Amino acid sequence: MPQQRIVLWTLKHEALVMGVSYSEDSSLVAICCDNKITKVWDLRTYDNVMTLDGHTNSVSCCSQNNFVLATGSFDKTIRISDLRTGNLLLHLVGHTSPVSSV
């Protein structure tokens, strides 16, 4: 059986981590927090390459597909952003409960 290499690295956050999502090629990780912010990290350089805000309550979950990131929040909304630019693509409102999965 081939050995696997595990690398542990600390990515600094000032708030409670609520969810984590990796890109398909494992080069990016999005980490959503209870401070209403989602940070995107480049796992090759360990740099914070993007900080997404806009939710008005804790960001409870996140999910990536190619260059698109969806975040859900206790503010009962989903925000879909382009990871290449950071631009907001969609803001989905109208949920009657906090969003717990995207």
Side-chain angles (χ1 to χ4, degrees), residues 5 16 35 48 61 65 70 84 86 100:
R5 182 176 157 208
L16 178 67
N35 63 351
N48 176 207
C61 54
N65 187 359
R84 295 169 291 193
S100 60

Side-chain angles (χ1 to χ4, degrees), residues 13 15 20 24 28 38 42-43 52 67 70 75 79 85 89 93:
H13 285 271
V20 176
E24 291 177 14
L28 297 176
T38 299
D42 184 325
L43 293 178
L52 301 170
F67 296 105
D75 66 9
R79 297 175 70 85
T85 64
L89 301 173
V93 299

Side-chain angles (χ1 to χ4, degrees), residues 16-77:
L16 178 67
V17 172
M18 304 291 286
V20 176
S21 176
Y22 291 91
S23 62
E24 291 177 14
D25 66 358
S26 298
S27 64
L28 297 176
V29 62
I31 302 175
C32 53
C33 297
D34 73 344
N35 63 351
K36 310 175 199 171
I37 290 175
T38 299
K39 289 189 176 186
V40 180
W41 297 85
D42 184 325
L43 293 178
R44 298 165 294 203
T45 62
Y46 303 106
D47 290 329
N48 176 207
V49 294
M50 189 175 299
T51 300
L52 301 170
D53 58 10
H55 282 293
T56 59
N57 205 328
S58 298
V59 185
S60 54
C61 54
C62 56
S63 179
Q64 294 183 57
N65 187 359
N66 295 322
F67 296 105
V68 176
L69 175 69
T71 57
S73 172
F74 284 103
D75 66 9
K76 304 177 186 175
T77 69

